[in-house]
Amino acid sequence: MSKQTHAFQAEVAQLLHLVTHSLYSNQEIFLRELISNASDACDKLRFEALNNTALYEDAPELQVRLSFDKAAKTLTITDNGIGMTAQEAIDHLGTIAKSGTKDFMSKLSGDQKSDAQLIGQFGVGFYSGFIVAEKITVETRRASAAAADGVRWISGGTGDFEVETITRAERGTSVILHLREEALEYANTWKLKEIVGKYSDHISLPILMEKEEWQDGELIDPNDEKAGRKPGGMVKTGEWETINKASALWTRPKKDISDEQYADFYKQISRDFEAPLTWTHNRVEGSTEYTQLLYIPSKAPQDLWNRDKKAGIKLYVKRVFIMDEAEALMPSYLRFVKGVVDSADLPLNVSRELLQESRDVKAIREGCTKRVLSMLEDLAKHDKAPESTDGVTDVLSDEDKAKLGQYTKLYAEFGAVLKEGLGEDFGNKDRLSKLLRFASTTSDTVSVSFADYKARMKEGQDAIYYITADTLAAAKNSPQLEVFKKKGIEVLLMTDRVDEWALNFVHEFDGTPLQSVAKGAFDLGKLQDEEEKKAAEDAAETFKPVLAKLKEALKDKAEDVRVTSRLVDSPACLVVTDDGMSMQLARMLKQAGQQAPEVKPVLEVNPEHALVKKLDGSVHFHDLAHILFDQALLAEGGLPADPAAYVKRVNALLS
Ligand code: ADP
């Protein structure tokens, strides 16, 4: 194939522009990205070679070599991994295969630090070479292809790239960076060693550099050897040395690994720029043997909400990389966990399909889930400093101090995903419900557990009260809360989209039922005194004729109309039947284009309210009735079925 020019996919061109213009503050990551690609390429070769050892050709030692040429201003990263065919080079280095790239672009803020983080997450690694290179040449040959079927790919990182056939004896890929003038510092052994030490020490593959030796210059006086020599410089010796530790971090004993090394390893496998919140590292022995190193990130990734998002677990079998995103090893509601599982029992050629069926995998998955839950429980337990019982504040250990506030932080990022577990993992439902946190009428922060709530329950209170709404403001101002506020009863405010769904699976906590304040008839049980009950009954009696008229006027909108004592300041509110779907959930389903049953709510009116008192005998009865209903709907975040009619009615009354 002679030279061909191809245009980059539009997104790539756009991305390249961003990469070269916005990543200066994080320049050196390019090396980590390219080494990581080289390492992936070697992993792929090793994996394919399980069934075809010929792929190793005559070079079974997989490795990465770094070299530079100061005069030519180039830095080259060479691997003897799987390599690429011409078509693969065109496809992989000219397009972004990952879905959601457009979405990603729209999220870029122009702020270098956060953009750099996003770029890392989306894995556009190769293109980061253009941060330091004005031109990149890639020379590659696919393992087992003939030497004459090598490929050269060249691009200046703008609109297009060229591809041509070359002869390349060695299998694998060389990425040759033609360094920009201001990036010449990377053509330096020390600099490269420093960056490799920082980011790529744990790549389980040796990274080699040619050894350099100091050599004196020529004789100062050619006729007098004793006069000494001019200073020379570092000279390459032709001997290659390994510059990384090249040992899989998780195989080393815990005590030999520093927190910093754990954090660096996390950054390497997750492409996250931030340190993880916490991690757990264990060798599990027994009928199924494996090592797990699991991390909880500090921040949720952009695509956390995508339920198709694959798990963040890499599977190794006896230190050989098998696959990324091994979803069988972690339940979907823990998809934010990143890490490595290295099994001693699985066969090397295990496939995704096989994983789903394996009993060992099931055991590993259970073990990993339990570990993560323990990790969360530990953070939850140490989230707040223990309250002193005797006036003396306990002295916290440094380790415990470091955990203060961590769970709240974690929950803000991942709490909503965790809730999916209530419907997904029945075996761990109890543990999960203990991990839930909510805002409440006594706490604006999402920090109240069911246990906290129970400890604060009023004498005679026999339910955990909650309300669901779209926003915290809407929840807090719901008319349904009025009587609870008056009586000083705490109500949990649930504002996550998944809450309503998740609560389908949790009906009680530790023997106390959960009760929505917007569902069913109002009954505060023992919290209501006899006098109040009597007053309510009397009001219902005197109101009977008005209720009948209201019911008639609203027969298309309301299932029923009744008086209530749950309201204090508002004239009316809507509730649904005990087992009915909440109005909020019905709205949400409709918005999502899903089938939702028509919810006909019950209108409850406050007989003490001036507007309600006016109803009887009013010439505007019909309009008032509809306004009452529509306002109750508005108050809980809904919209009148006919907004224009509502406005007309209100205006008629106003004028
Ligand atoms: P990612 O590595 O996240 O897929 P990159 O932009 O870094 O994204 O690389 C795109 C693709 O190019 C890789 O998925 C791989 O198929 C191919 N590639 C990159 N570097 C190499 C390499 N050194 N050897 C073989 N293939 C490579």
Side-chain angles (χ1 to χ4, degrees), residues 37-38 41 44 79 83-84 92-93 98 123-127 173 271:
N37 280 352
K44 280 180 201 158
D79 66 69
M84 284 177 271
H92 296 156
L93 307 181
K98 300 217 170 56
V124 284
F126 171 76
Y127 304 105
T173 306
R271 296 167 176 270

Side-chain angles (χ1 to χ4, degrees), residues 227-245:
R229 289 173 174 269
K230 290 182 189 168
M234 298 303 287
V235 181
K236 303 212 164 115
T237 60
E239 204 184 313
W240 291 77
E241 62 174 339
T242 302
I243 60 165
N244 63 331
K245 289 215 179 63

Side-chain angles (χ1 to χ4, degrees), residues 623-640:
D623 284 343
L624 280 173
H626 281 273
I627 289 174
L628 219 48
F629 183 93
D630 285 349
Q631 283 188 342
L633 193 57
L634 282 167
E636 69 144 67
L639 266 186

Side-chain angles (χ1 to χ4, degrees), residues 189-203:
T189 306
W190 292 112
K191 184 77 187 169
L192 294 172
K193 279 188 178 171
E194 181 201 320
I195 306 177
V196 168
K198 191 158 157 195
Y199 296 112
S200 310
D201 234 5
H202 311 298
I203 292 266

